[in-house]
Amino acid sequence: MHQGKTYIVTGVASGIGAETCRLLREQGAKVIGIDRTETDNADQFFQADLSSPDSIDALIEALPEGTNGLANIAGLPPTLAPELVLQVNLLGLRRLTEGLVPKLAEGASVANLASLAGFGWPNAVEQVKAALDLDFTSDLAAFCAANSLNEPGGRSYFLGKEALIAWTIQNRWTWRDRGITMNCISPGPVDTPILQDFIETLGERAAEDRKVMDRPGTAQDIAPVVAFALSEGAKWLRGSNLTADGGMSNHILSNIHGL
Ligand SMILES: NC(=O)c1ccc[n+]([C@@H]2O[C@H](COP(=O)([O-])OP(=O)(O)OC[C@H]3O[C@@H](n4cnc5c(N)ncnc54)[C@H](O)[C@@H]3O)[C@@H](O)[C@H]2O)c1
């Protein structure tokens, strides 16, 4: 399926990124892995800190020209400091993608790991737009204070994922002249090292979700969806959000609309 292709995968050292790397290689691709943690599971590896603009710029400089896609999978859970969560999950992801697109091959694909946590973006459009105005020169401390992101509940994580879904939609046609498409994937809870962080942050809400779902997802449930989003078969998808959550988002929609 991916014979002859080379993809860049961030977050390759653990969880969904590691499984996506394994699957893409099994399907014939070469994988260039990126993580802050060193690992030898990819064909080539670059260590980088995606919360640091300098580290991201050096990475973009070092990465080769002509790769066929970028899977933005690295991410931090809601238990960490709100500024850091926004830096990695939103600002770093965007800086890497925008800086790398000129080096990607014609017809390349970008796949962003969003989340069920981003489901509510249409209800928070003004805050989402304000988050999309941020970059590494912004006063993130002031933004977090003004938007109550330091309070319990992990809002920074939710907002980062809402903004990622909105940014993916916004850029449905940005690179259309070069055939470069971008989509996102929104898993529900997935059994990786950060699942416990979500359970801690969400408390009762997580317990309710777990009662409704037959099980949490696994990295093996999500990686094939990322691999599809990178593939030739997904080229008519532009700005789409692929929900891979065992039916959870449709359960919420069904409840909202009384189906
Ligand atoms: N696990 C879930 O329940 C779940 C649900 C929905 C979405 N997601 C998203 O899936 C993606 C992958 O999560 P996972 O569950 O595999 O988590 P994970 O912790 O297993 O993997 C995340 C990887 O990102 C890397 N990373 C974190 N900060 C970094 C930085 N500053 N620079 C470079 N690398 C960095 C980590 O080292 C790690 O290898 C994340 O974006 C997460 O938000 C996870």
Side-chain angles (χ1 to χ4, degrees):
M1 182 177 180
H2 291 290
Q3 215 70 39
K5 305 283 187 186
T6 302
Y7 299 111
I8 297 167
V9 176
T10 76
V12 76
S14 176
I16 297 167
E19 177 57 18
T20 299
C21 173
R22 191 203 62 72
L23 182 66
L24 288 171
R25 295 182 76 195
E26 185 180 275
Q27 295 179 344
K30 275 172 78 172
V31 173
I32 299 173
I34 295 167
D35 209 289
R36 60 182 169 173
T37 306
E38 227 168 313
T39 171
D40 61 1
N41 58 346
D43 296 281
Q44 208 181 342
F45 176 75
F46 290 85
Q47 194 164 25
D49 176 1
L50 299 175
S51 70
S52 153
D54 290 346
S55 179
I56 295 166
D57 293 349
L59 174 68
I60 293 165
E61 185 70 32
L63 284 167
E65 302 255 353
T67 54
N68 304 102
L70 166 66
N72 283 311
I73 301 182
L76 289 177
T79 41
L80 294 175
E83 283 177 44
L84 189 59
V85 170
L86 287 178
Q87 280 169 340
V88 175
N89 293 10
L90 184 61
L91 306 189
L93 183 155
R94 286 170 55 194
R95 192 177 183 109
L96 175 63
T97 306
E98 287 169 348
L100 199 61
V101 160
K103 291 183 96 170
L104 293 178
E106 304 282 302
S109 308
V110 179
N112 298 324
L113 245 294
S115 171
L116 178 62
F119 177 86
W121 75 266
N123 304 323
V125 170
E126 289 315 311
Q127 202 182 30
V128 164
K129 285 182 183 169
L132 289 175
D133 283 339
L134 297 170
D135 63 24
F136 280 102
T137 64
S138 307
D139 186 345
L140 276 186
F143 179 83
C144 289
N147 287 276
S148 309
L149 300 186
N150 299 310
E151 285 163 25
R155 178 70 194 137
S156 63
Y157 182 84
F158 283 73
L159 179 57
K161 295 300 187 184
E162 289 168 0
L164 180 56
I165 294 171
W167 182 69
T168 305
I169 291 172
Q170 261 184 339
N171 286 290
R172 62 205 175 279
W173 286 330
T174 304
W175 308 292
R176 190 159 51 163
D177 59 332
R178 297 186 51 221
I180 295 176
T181 51
M182 181 162 77
N183 295 290
C184 58
I185 296 98
S186 284
V190 182
D191 194 358
T192 70
I194 59 174
L195 182 60
Q196 197 51 39
D197 294 84
F198 293 106
I199 293 170
E200 262 172 52
T201 309
L202 299 177
E204 270 307 297
R205 272 159 68 197
E208 281 306 309
D209 286 359
R210 274 190 298 165
K211 268 187 236 159
V212 174
M213 300 183 77
D214 27 334
R215 61 171 176 83
T218 62
Q220 289 75 16
D221 292 317
I222 310 305
V225 187
V226 183
F228 166 68
L230 291 171
S231 75
E232 289 298 318
K235 290 318 275 182
W236 198 234
L237 274 63
R238 295 180 188 267
S240 297
N241 180 25
L242 307 178
T243 55
D245 58 12
M248 201 58 201
S249 53
N250 288 327
H251 176 70
I252 297 167
L253 278 174
S254 189
N255 284 344
I256 291 173
H257 298 290
L259 299 181

